[in-house]
Amino acid sequence: MQKARIGLMWKQFFIYLLIIVLTFSFLVFFVSREINKYYINNLKSNLKNQAMLVERMTTDLMVPENAKEIDALTKEMGKKIGTRITIIRKDGLILGDSEKDPTKMENHATRPEVIQALRNEIGSKMRYSTTVKKEMLYIAIPITENGEILGVVRTSSFVPEIQKSLGAINKKIIYIALILMIIALLFSILSSRVFTNPIKEIAFAAEKIKNGDFTTRIFIKRKDELGELSDAINEMARELQKLFNNLSLQKEELQVILSSMVEGLVVINEEEKIVLSNKNFSTIADTSNETQIQNKRYWEVLQNDDINKLVKSVSRTGKTQTCETQFGEKIYLVNGAPTSKTARRKIIIVLHDITELKRIEKVKADFVTNITHELKTPLTSIKGFVETLKENTNTENQHFLEIIERNTDRLTDIVDDLLLLSNLEDKKQKLKIEKINLREMADNILKIFEIKFKEKKISFELDASDNISYINADPFWLEQLFINLIDNAIKYTDKGSVKIKMFSEDKDIQIEIQDSGIGIPKKHLSRIFERFYVVDKSRSHKLGGTGLGLSIVKHIIQLHNGKISVESKVGKGSKFIITLPKG
Ligand code: ADP
């Protein structure tokens, strides 16, 4: 930057210097040439005037007898006007000369200026004089009388003297030019300073702003473009300062939020390098300092297959994904979300510690399993005794015994359903996958419900397309799924029909169980798969519902990596849509 600033001033100076030197050189050259030309022309015109004057005075004397008189006149006049004058006769004979003795001078008929004058022209020549042995400027005019040329008057001046005068003039011109050049240069330096100084100041301020000093301001009070530029830079610095302060504040806030988060958080870029992380992440990753892990690839600090799969899945799909994973004794729910929809996105990974939640869940599940197991035996014996008592009791108490029996049955149903659920939730228990003929299975299950359909006068229909032959699933659980859904369809339908539709879609099979029953109000739709959730308690109890059927269905579907959804309209019926992979 320093270099560039010096460069600008010198560059401007050298350009000025070049322009000034060139301009003045041309000026000196042309001015001196013009002045020289003017001087010579002036001299010539003077010589001509003098020659004309002499011609007037000598016309009458132009006879050989007057030669002495002519010569004396010439010498006198030559002395007076300081010019060499020569009077030449028509044949070239010298009649008078202001400098020399004419008798000793050779014939001048062949001198070029004389030849020119004898042609009635004004002769002019600059040449070496053999008489005075010097370079001379000659002007010759004819002496005429009544149109007849009698001779020639020649005036001349020494060239060295002309040159001396011209040299003096040229010297003066150069001298003046030099002074003007120095003044111009001084002005150019001054003017370049006037421009470069503010530019230097602006460049210096810009450099400081670039280095992050947003408090820098330029104090140039000018009304030109430089003034506007400095105002704009000042405004930019002010805005940058504001922005920077805001960003710093936001960064601080973010740091506080991140460090106070109980979750572990890490942000990775498209190269899988860590760009941001919090203290809890460092604790999970077992590294001492969050700054030390910056710029490292996440898998260098956190080796975990589940998270690797999650990251790959998020980058491939661009969608939020979750998984559960374990680090030592601790269990984490990991959430991976892309920061944007573009290809070069970052991924935010949040690790929630769910160890305690899982422990409580397990205690609850164990408790339910234990209690249901414990209840099973007494319930069976109560039911047995009630049956025995019913046979041996009078009609008055029969009614109470029936109530006891009905409630025992209900309790048994709940216990059975809870046992089913705890079996489903038991991770150690594996599915027994078999190749199942779906149509056959659905047919057999419908047969079980045939009596119920008849009792309620509801028609049923099985529509299985030809392309669904087999599915790989656990037959026991798949049967439970059908039983629960068909049982519900019959339970909550008073008239009309129950339809089962099955068809193949790519790698999945879709099963739809549709009834024309009472339907489910919209606000309950999202909750009906929860345990013990019933829309209408009294109706469910009356129909022998436990509120666990759909919860079991959901678990079965999850274990088979499928999906379930429901569409329903109150008074029109419900449709449960299941998607199961063919496996
Ligand atoms: P339940 O044993 O009470 O039927 P479920 O878990 O099977 O319990 O169902 C939960 C609730 O969802 C039911 O109480 C009922 O209100 C509603 N429901 C389930 N299936 C249907 C259906 N086919 N038609 C209308 N309501 C239904």
Side-chain angles (χ1 to χ4, degrees):
M1 203 65 200
Q2 192 72 11
K3 249 188 192 170
R5 280 205 298 271
I6 292 168
L8 184 68
M9 203 186 133
W10 282 109
K11 244 186 232 171
Q12 207 172 347
F13 175 74
F14 281 120
I15 290 168
Y16 279 144
L17 188 72
L18 198 73
I19 294 170
I20 290 167
V21 168
L22 280 177
T23 316
F24 277 96
S25 306
F26 278 115
L27 215 66
V28 166
F29 176 73
F30 286 111
V31 167
S32 83
R33 209 177 71 160
E34 284 308 306
I35 286 178
N36 289 359
K37 230 196 236 169
Y38 175 78
Y39 183 82
I40 299 277
N41 284 343
N42 213 18
L43 201 68
K44 276 182 182 172
S45 143
N46 271 349
L47 287 174
K48 197 182 99 191
N49 287 342
Q50 286 166 354
M52 278 161 101
L53 220 69
V54 175
E55 189 256 351
R56 280 285 131 246
M57 292 167 79
T58 50
T59 318
D60 297 338
L61 301 170
M62 280 305 287
V63 278
E65 302 87 65
N66 291 337
K68 269 204 179 121
E69 217 176 314
I70 290 172
D71 187 45
L73 185 76
T74 312
K75 284 199 165 56
E76 190 196 336
M77 286 194 39
K79 213 181 221 170
K80 272 186 185 158
I81 59 174
T83 304
R84 184 184 169 201
I85 303 165
T86 315
I87 310 288
I88 306 148
R89 217 171 57 183
K90 203 167 134 188
D91 55 2
L93 187 81
I94 308 293
L95 295 178
D97 188 276
S98 59
E99 307 276 322
K100 298 280 168 188
D101 182 359
T103 50
K104 288 183 185 139
M105 285 169 74
E106 60 187 67
N107 190 297
H108 270 45
T110 54
R111 299 292 196 272
E113 68 277 5
V114 176
I115 295 170
Q116 246 180 310
L118 287 174
R119 285 206 298 263
N120 209 12
E121 289 167 12
I122 294 168
S124 155
K125 189 75 194 166
M126 192 179 286
R127 60 174 177 79
Y128 186 76
S129 163
T130 46
T131 320
V132 291
K133 311 272 183 264
K134 271 177 187 166
E135 188 83 19
M136 294 202 83
L137 170 68
Y138 294 104
I139 295 290
I141 61 161
I143 304 169
T144 50
E145 195 177 38
N146 302 326
E148 190 197 340
I149 296 171
L150 303 175
V152 170
V153 179
R154 193 183 73 173
T155 47
S156 52
S157 203
F158 291 113
V159 170
E161 266 166 31
I162 303 168
Q163 278 169 346
K164 217 161 108 190
S165 307
L166 283 178
I169 293 170
N170 285 344
K171 239 188 221 164
K172 261 185 196 157
I173 293 172
I174 292 169
Y175 185 64
I176 292 168
L178 268 174
I179 290 174
L180 287 176
M181 224 156 85
I182 289 166
I183 294 170
L185 265 179
L186 283 176
F187 266 111
S188 81
I189 291 170
L190 218 69
S191 83
S192 75
R193 269 175 175 272
V194 167
F195 283 103
T196 50
N197 276 358
I199 291 174
K200 265 190 210 172
E201 203 179 318
I202 291 170
F204 185 61
E207 173 86 8
K208 277 171 97 178
I209 294 168
K210 188 196 92 185
N211 292 334
D213 180 2
F214 302 125
T215 52
T216 308
R217 296 288 179 269
I218 307 163
F219 299 100
I220 298 175
K221 290 276 161 269
R222 290 170 70 125
K223 286 209 162 66
D224 56 6
E225 286 82 350
L226 283 176
E228 280 172 24
L229 179 66
S230 59
D231 285 350
I233 289 175
N234 284 344
E235 189 57 30
M236 184 184 79
R238 253 191 299 276
E239 287 302 316
L240 279 174
Q241 193 175 9
K242 249 196 260 170
L243 214 68
F244 185 75
N245 288 346
N246 275 346
L247 276 176
S248 309
L249 203 74
Q250 277 176 12
K251 208 175 162 190
E252 266 171 42
E253 280 171 3
L254 184 71
Q255 280 306 330
V256 174
I257 293 169
L258 285 182
S259 55
S260 59
M261 263 174 86
V262 283
E263 289 89 358
L265 180 137
V266 62
V267 181
I268 59 168
N269 63 14
E270 64 278 5
E271 289 165 25
E272 300 191 338
K273 282 184 181 166
I274 296 173
V275 286
L276 187 76
S277 65
N278 69 354
K279 218 166 118 205
N280 271 331
F281 176 77
S282 303
T283 318
I284 297 165
D286 205 14
T287 44
S288 51
N289 197 333
E290 29 182 318
T291 48
Q292 277 172 13
I293 60 175
Q294 296 278 324
N295 249 343
K296 278 192 184 166
R297 304 212 187 236
Y298 80 90
W299 36 260
E300 288 177 75
V301 279
L302 200 76
Q303 280 131 10
N304 183 290
D305 277 350
D306 297 321
I307 294 181
N308 291 350
K309 273 187 210 152
L310 179 102
V311 169
K312 285 206 172 69
S313 170
V314 175
S315 3
R316 199 183 54 246
T317 58
K319 284 185 184 148
T320 303
Q321 311 280 341
T322 45
C323 74
E324 265 182 36
T325 194
Q326 207 158 347
F327 287 103
E329 298 282 285
K330 301 224 167 195
I331 305 164
Y332 289 92
L333 177 71
V334 190
N335 197 62
T339 51
S340 72
K341 287 196 169 65
T342 57
R344 292 176 69 80
R345 58 187 151 228
K346 291 180 185 140
I347 297 173
I348 305 169
I349 301 166
V350 182
L351 295 106
H352 310 261
D353 185 349
I354 51 164
T355 320
E356 190 55 20
L357 217 73
K358 282 278 162 188
R359 196 186 64 79
I360 296 168
E361 222 174 65
K362 191 167 171 349
V363 169
K364 257 165 72 183
D366 288 351
F367 173 73
V368 172
T369 317
N370 291 339
I371 208 150
T372 41
H373 272 295
E374 291 303 322
L375 284 173
K376 190 107 181 118
T377 331
L379 276 174
T380 325
S381 70
I382 292 172
K383 177 138 171 110
F385 285 119
V386 168
E387 268 165 16
T388 324
L389 274 175
K390 257 171 84 185
E391 282 164 19
N392 306 315
T393 312
N394 56 26
T395 36
E396 201 185 312
N397 290 330
Q398 277 290 341
H399 170 65
F400 299 112
L401 285 171
E402 266 164 27
I403 295 175
I404 296 173
E405 192 180 29
R406 219 176 34 244
N407 279 298
T408 315
D409 283 346
R410 204 173 124 61
L411 261 175
T412 314
D413 283 347
I414 293 175
V415 166
D416 286 344
D417 277 356
L418 278 175
L419 275 172
L420 273 180
L421 258 180
S422 55
N423 266 342
L424 278 169
E425 282 171 350
D426 186 357
K427 292 235 167 70
K428 279 175 229 138
Q429 195 157 321
K430 289 226 166 107
L431 291 178
K432 296 183 184 77
I433 303 289
E434 278 175 30
K435 204 173 183 187
I436 300 165
N437 185 329
L438 254 190
R439 171 190 272 274
E440 219 174 87
M441 182 180 263
D443 253 341
N444 289 338
I445 293 163
L446 280 170
K447 268 182 204 138
I448 305 171
F449 288 100
E450 229 166 88
I451 300 162
K452 277 196 176 174
F453 279 120
K454 269 188 193 145
E455 270 172 15
K456 287 195 90 173
K457 295 193 179 81
I458 303 168
S459 67
F460 67 89
E461 197 183 301
L462 174 65
D463 171 10
S465 84
D466 294 337
N467 60 3
I468 53 130
S469 43
Y470 290 96
I471 184 169
N472 286 313
D474 185 314
F476 172 75
W477 290 120
L478 205 61
E479 243 171 51
Q480 288 299 318
L481 179 140
F482 275 117
I483 290 170
N484 282 350
L485 288 174
I486 298 170
D487 187 45
N488 275 353
I490 299 169
K491 263 195 311 196
Y492 300 105
T493 305
D494 295 327
K495 59 174 192 296
S497 64
V498 173
K499 283 181 196 159
I500 301 173
K501 198 175 168 190
M502 296 192 282
F503 55 93
S504 172
E505 247 197 6
D506 271 347
K507 290 175 184 160
D508 300 326
I509 283 180
Q510 192 156 315
I511 304 163
E512 293 174 4
I513 298 169
Q514 189 172 9
D515 62 59
S516 58
I518 57 166
I520 306 159
K522 211 172 172 189
K523 62 173 180 178
H524 296 288
L525 278 179
S526 60
R527 299 197 60 190
I528 54 168
F529 294 99
E530 289 173 18
R531 280 177 205 198
F532 296 110
Y533 192 86
V534 289
V535 175
D536 182 343
K537 252 191 183 141
S538 63
R539 188 176 183 127
S540 171
H541 285 179
K542 225 189 279 164
L543 296 168
T546 59
L548 290 166
L550 286 183
S551 184
I552 292 169
V553 167
K554 197 182 160 194
H555 265 84
I556 296 171
I557 284 165
Q558 272 175 352
L559 280 178
H560 284 87
N561 296 319
K563 272 185 280 179
I564 183 161
S565 62
V566 56
E567 292 168 6
S568 186
K569 256 197 182 148
V570 176
K572 291 253 156 93
S574 314
K575 181 155 105 176
F576 287 83
I577 305 155
I578 298 149
T579 314
L580 286 173
K582 285 177 189 166

